[in-house]
Amino acid sequence: MGYADQRFDVNLSILFTELPLLERPAAAAAAGFTAVELWWPWIETPTPPQAELDALKKALDDAGTQLVGLNFYAGQLPGPDRGALSVPGTESDRFRANIEVAADFAASVGCTALNALYGNRVEGTDPAAQDALALENLVLAARAADRVGAILLVETLNKPESPLYPLVGAPAAIEVVDKVNAATGLGNAKFLLDLYHLSMNGEDLSHVIKAYAAKTGHVQIADNPGRGAPGTGSLPLEQLLDELKDAGYAGWVGLEYKPGDRPSAESFDWLPASARAAR
């Protein structure tokens, strides 16, 4: 057990950001990793030119890196937004325009997990109306994901850093997962369990793991406080990942941490080089 027994991937939207997007897959590969994930890379548009999608696919292929997770369009992320699918008007429309684009790109690179960030509450808008819109859009996204053999992920964030995001406890995200699966009958909506966000919410991480491992489709980690690499904070991440494995989770663990003031390539000293390649 321990870190060497996990399947890690590198989030190229928070690590290696000192490099242009198309150079990051090769940098991850040079650090020993063969699996990566991404937030939606084109924050200004849900429908980038096909040439840009093709260039990203080529960069992934040339580096020998497998994309194992991709966000749908989520607005200005990084930035003030936390998703688009529950935000009425233009942002919801942009999310819908992105659904098939993201699904088709995922299919082209063999990515089987698509993350749909819920979006912030909008002042003056009925939360129930936002939730109804969210369910409509998540059903569309789940069907598109299913079409390409992928799962749909629903993520909990944390209240201190995302005060307007309504899914800030594991049960809130699980409720949405269950509603989407009930609406589609597909069963491909899953929980994205991020140990950093859950710890920032003050949740009992061992309890969350036991309660929801069976509904978990992807895991992300960073240490707390600071959202740095494992070992920079006080979270018992190695133990928690062992607990996940014991509870039956055998999927990917995304490294979604900030490298601090050093180059990203130097932030992996906690993980033996022999444990970095996908298995």
Side-chain angles (χ1 to χ4, degrees), residues 69-113:
L70 175 68
N71 282 16
F72 286 104
Y73 170 79
Q76 299 292 309
L77 180 78
D81 297 334
R82 298 292 186 271
L85 63 89
S86 69
V87 180
T90 304
E91 281 300 273
S92 170
D93 292 345
R94 286 160 76 88
F95 177 82
R96 288 194 186 192
N98 174 248
I99 290 174
E100 299 301 334
V101 176
D104 286 343
F105 181 75
S108 77
V109 295
C111 175
T112 57

Side-chain angles (χ1 to χ4, degrees), residues 207-224:
H207 169 75
V208 169
I209 287 167
K210 284 195 187 89
Y212 305 126
K215 294 184 177 184
T216 296
H218 190 65
V219 170
Q220 291 173 334
I221 65 168
D223 216 331
N224 186 21

Side-chain angles (χ1 to χ4, degrees), residues 16 27 61 82 89 106 148 156 190 206 241 244 253-254:
F16 296 108
D61 290 346
R82 298 292 186 271
V148 300
T156 294
K190 302 282 186 181
S206 294
L241 292 176
L244 267 160
V253 177

Side-chain angles (χ1 to χ4, degrees), residues 113-198:
L114 288 159
N115 183 27
L117 281 166
Y118 202 81
N120 288 329
R121 290 299 194 212
V122 178
E123 189 177 353
T125 300
D126 179 3
Q130 280 197 256
D131 291 339
L133 176 63
L135 184 58
E136 278 180 40
N137 283 335
L138 285 166
V139 164
L140 294 172
R143 289 179 176 143
D146 182 68
R147 174 177 66 79
V148 300
I151 59 173
L152 174 75
L153 297 170
V154 177
E155 182 174 6
T156 294
L157 300 182
N158 74 77
K159 189 107 183 147
E161 294 173 324
S162 303
L164 300 177
Y165 191 83
L167 308 185
V168 292
I174 293 292
E175 183 181 354
V176 172
V177 165
D178 289 344
K179 283 181 178 175
V180 174
N181 285 331
T184 65
L186 296 170
N188 70 330
K190 302 282 186 181
F191 178 40
L192 196 167
L193 192 159
D194 186 309
L195 289 168
Y196 168 73
H197 288 310
L198 296 172

